[in-house]
PDB file of all heavy atoms in Angstrom:
ATOM      1  N   ASP A 223     -54.574   7.465  -9.551  1.00 95.00           N
ATOM      2  CA  ASP A 223     -53.941   8.741  -9.217  1.00 95.00           C
ATOM      3  C   ASP A 223     -52.612   8.859  -9.960  1.00 95.00           C
ATOM      4  O   ASP A 223     -52.138   7.882 -10.567  1.00 95.00           O
ATOM      5  CB  ASP A 223     -53.721   8.835  -7.703  1.00 95.00           C
ATOM      6  CG  ASP A 223     -52.738   7.790  -7.223  1.00 95.00           C
ATOM      7  OD1 ASP A 223     -53.119   6.611  -7.100  1.00 95.00           O
ATOM      8  OD2 ASP A 223     -51.564   8.136  -7.018  1.00 95.00           O
ATOM      9  N   PRO A 224     -51.935  10.025  -9.910  1.00 97.00           N
ATOM     10  CA  PRO A 224     -50.690  10.182 -10.669  1.00 97.00           C
ATOM     11  C   PRO A 224     -49.487   9.470 -10.075  1.00 97.00           C
ATOM     12  O   PRO A 224     -48.508   9.233 -10.787  1.00 97.00           O
ATOM     13  CB  PRO A 224     -50.478  11.699 -10.675  1.00 97.00           C
ATOM     14  CG  PRO A 224     -51.191  12.188  -9.459  1.00 97.00           C
ATOM     15  CD  PRO A 224     -52.389  11.293  -9.325  1.00 97.00           C
ATOM     16  N   ILE A 225     -49.500   9.154  -8.784  1.00 97.00           N
ATOM     17  CA  ILE A 225     -48.363   8.471  -8.160  1.00 97.00           C
ATOM     18  C   ILE A 225     -48.566   6.977  -8.363  1.00 97.00           C
ATOM     19  O   ILE A 225     -49.370   6.339  -7.687  1.00 97.00           O
ATOM     20  CB  ILE A 225     -48.252   8.829  -6.671  1.00 97.00           C
ATOM     21  CG1 ILE A 225     -48.120  10.341  -6.491  1.00 97.00           C
ATOM     22  CG2 ILE A 225     -47.058   8.122  -6.041  1.00 97.00           C
ATOM     23  CD1 ILE A 225     -48.102  10.804  -5.048  1.00 97.00           C
ATOM     24  N   ARG A 226     -47.821   6.414  -9.289  1.00 97.00           N
ATOM     25  CA  ARG A 226     -48.100   5.059  -9.748  1.00 97.00           C
ATOM     26  C   ARG A 226     -47.029   4.065  -9.296  1.00 97.00           C
ATOM     27  O   ARG A 226     -45.834   4.344  -9.324  1.00 97.00           O
ATOM     28  CB  ARG A 226     -48.199   5.036 -11.272  1.00 97.00           C
ATOM     29  CG  ARG A 226     -49.281   5.959 -11.834  1.00 97.00           C
ATOM     30  CD  ARG A 226     -50.673   5.481 -11.484  1.00 97.00           C
ATOM     31  NE  ARG A 226     -50.907   4.166 -12.043  1.00 97.00           N
ATOM     32  CZ  ARG A 226     -51.266   3.961 -13.317  1.00 97.00           C
ATOM     33  NH1 ARG A 226     -51.429   4.979 -14.132  1.00 97.00           N
ATOM     34  NH2 ARG A 226     -51.467   2.736 -13.758  1.00 97.00           N
ATOM     35  N   TYR A 227     -47.491   2.897  -8.912  1.00 97.00           N
ATOM     36  CA  TYR A 227     -46.616   1.776  -8.566  1.00 97.00           C
ATOM     37  C   TYR A 227     -45.853   1.308  -9.806  1.00 97.00           C
ATOM     38  O   TYR A 227     -46.431   1.198 -10.895  1.00 97.00           O
ATOM     39  CB  TYR A 227     -47.467   0.644  -7.988  1.00 97.00           C
ATOM     40  CG  TYR A 227     -46.768  -0.683  -7.815  1.00 97.00           C
ATOM     41  CD1 TYR A 227     -46.113  -0.997  -6.631  1.00 97.00           C
ATOM     42  CD2 TYR A 227     -46.781  -1.634  -8.838  1.00 97.00           C
ATOM     43  CE1 TYR A 227     -45.499  -2.241  -6.465  1.00 97.00           C
ATOM     44  CE2 TYR A 227     -46.165  -2.864  -8.681  1.00 97.00           C
ATOM     45  CZ  TYR A 227     -45.521  -3.163  -7.500  1.00 97.00           C
ATOM     46  OH  TYR A 227     -44.910  -4.374  -7.346  1.00 97.00           O
ATOM     47  N   VAL A 228     -44.561   1.004  -9.633  1.00 97.00           N
ATOM     48  CA  VAL A 228     -43.744   0.497 -10.734  1.00 97.00           C
ATOM     49  C   VAL A 228     -43.420  -0.980 -10.525  1.00 97.00           C
ATOM     50  O   VAL A 228     -43.803  -1.842 -11.300  1.00 97.00           O
ATOM     51  CB  VAL A 228     -42.441   1.313 -10.897  1.00 97.00           C
ATOM     52  CG1 VAL A 228     -41.581   0.737 -12.031  1.00 97.00           C
ATOM     53  CG2 VAL A 228     -42.758   2.781 -11.161  1.00 97.00           C
ATOM     54  N   ASP A 229     -42.679  -1.284  -9.446  1.00 97.00           N
ATOM     55  CA  ASP A 229     -42.302  -2.667  -9.172  1.00 97.00           C
ATOM     56  C   ASP A 229     -41.660  -2.759  -7.791  1.00 97.00           C
ATOM     57  O   ASP A 229     -41.560  -1.751  -7.071  1.00 97.00           O
ATOM     58  CB  ASP A 229     -41.344  -3.221 -10.240  1.00 97.00           C
ATOM     59  CG  ASP A 229     -40.090  -2.375 -10.419  1.00 97.00           C
ATOM     60  OD1 ASP A 229     -39.743  -1.604  -9.507  1.00 97.00           O
ATOM     61  OD2 ASP A 229     -39.446  -2.468 -11.495  1.00 97.00           O
ATOM     62  N   GLN A 230     -41.243  -3.967  -7.427  1.00 97.00           N
ATOM     63  CA  GLN A 230     -40.555  -4.203  -6.164  1.00 97.00           C
ATOM     64  C   GLN A 230     -39.274  -4.971  -6.417  1.00 97.00           C
ATOM     65  O   GLN A 230     -39.244  -5.876  -7.246  1.00 97.00           O
ATOM     66  CB  GLN A 230     -41.464  -4.970  -5.192  1.00 97.00           C
ATOM     67  CG  GLN A 230     -42.618  -4.119  -4.666  1.00 97.00           C
ATOM     68  CD  GLN A 230     -43.632  -4.918  -3.879  1.00 97.00           C
ATOM     69  OE1 GLN A 230     -43.883  -6.079  -4.171  1.00 97.00           O
ATOM     70  NE2 GLN A 230     -44.242  -4.294  -2.882  1.00 97.00           N
ATOM     71  N   LYS A 231     -38.216  -4.596  -5.703  1.00 97.00           N
ATOM     72  CA  LYS A 231     -36.909  -5.209  -5.871  1.00 97.00           C
ATOM     73  C   LYS A 231     -36.432  -5.806  -4.552  1.00 97.00           C
ATOM     74  O   LYS A 231     -36.612  -5.205  -3.483  1.00 97.00           O
ATOM     75  CB  LYS A 231     -35.888  -4.176  -6.357  1.00 97.00           C
ATOM     76  CG  LYS A 231     -36.256  -3.510  -7.675  1.00 97.00           C
ATOM     77  CD  LYS A 231     -36.238  -4.494  -8.838  1.00 97.00           C
ATOM     78  CE  LYS A 231     -36.549  -3.802 -10.159  1.00 97.00           C
ATOM     79  NZ  LYS A 231     -36.512  -4.752 -11.295  1.00 97.00           N
ATOM     80  N   GLU A 232     -35.826  -6.977  -4.633  1.00 96.00           N
ATOM     81  CA  GLU A 232     -35.177  -7.569  -3.468  1.00 96.00           C
ATOM     82  C   GLU A 232     -33.778  -6.981  -3.345  1.00 96.00           C
ATOM     83  O   GLU A 232     -32.968  -7.076  -4.257  1.00 96.00           O
ATOM     84  CB  GLU A 232     -35.078  -9.083  -3.632  1.00 96.00           C
ATOM     85  CG  GLU A 232     -36.420  -9.789  -3.663  1.00 96.00           C
ATOM     86  CD  GLU A 232     -36.281 -11.271  -3.959  1.00 96.00           C
ATOM     87  OE1 GLU A 232     -35.232 -11.660  -4.509  1.00 96.00           O
ATOM     88  OE2 GLU A 232     -37.215 -12.027  -3.662  1.00 96.00           O
ATOM     89  N   VAL A 233     -33.505  -6.359  -2.211  1.00 97.00           N
ATOM     90  CA  VAL A 233     -32.194  -5.756  -1.973  1.00 97.00           C
ATOM     91  C   VAL A 233     -31.298  -6.707  -1.194  1.00 97.00           C
ATOM     92  O   VAL A 233     -30.106  -6.823  -1.470  1.00 97.00           O
ATOM     93  CB  VAL A 233     -32.341  -4.411  -1.235  1.00 97.00           C
ATOM     94  CG1 VAL A 233     -30.978  -3.795  -0.945  1.00 97.00           C
ATOM     95  CG2 VAL A 233     -33.178  -3.439  -2.064  1.00 97.00           C
ATOM     96  N   ALA A 234     -31.843  -7.382  -0.208  1.00 96.00           N
ATOM     97  CA  ALA A 234     -31.057  -8.320   0.600  1.00 96.00           C
ATOM     98  C   ALA A 234     -31.968  -9.427   1.104  1.00 96.00           C
ATOM     99  O   ALA A 234     -33.118  -9.171   1.489  1.00 96.00           O
ATOM    100  CB  ALA A 234     -30.397  -7.607   1.775  1.00 96.00           C
ATOM    101  N   LEU A 235     -31.457 -10.651   1.104  1.00 92.00           N
ATOM    102  CA  LEU A 235     -32.218 -11.801   1.543  1.00 92.00           C
ATOM    103  C   LEU A 235     -31.633 -12.365   2.831  1.00 92.00           C
ATOM    104  O   LEU A 235     -30.424 -12.578   2.923  1.00 92.00           O
ATOM    105  CB  LEU A 235     -32.212 -12.895   0.469  1.00 92.00           C
ATOM    106  CG  LEU A 235     -32.795 -12.525  -0.897  1.00 92.00           C
ATOM    107  CD1 LEU A 235     -32.660 -13.705  -1.851  1.00 92.00           C
ATOM    108  CD2 LEU A 235     -34.247 -12.108  -0.763  1.00 92.00           C
TER     109      LEU A 235
END
Side-chain angles (χ1 to χ4, degrees):
D223 65 283
I225 303 176
R226 301 292 299 278
Y227 169 90
V228 178
D229 56 21
Q230 289 171 326
K231 301 294 182 179
E232 295 175 339
V233 178
L235 300 178

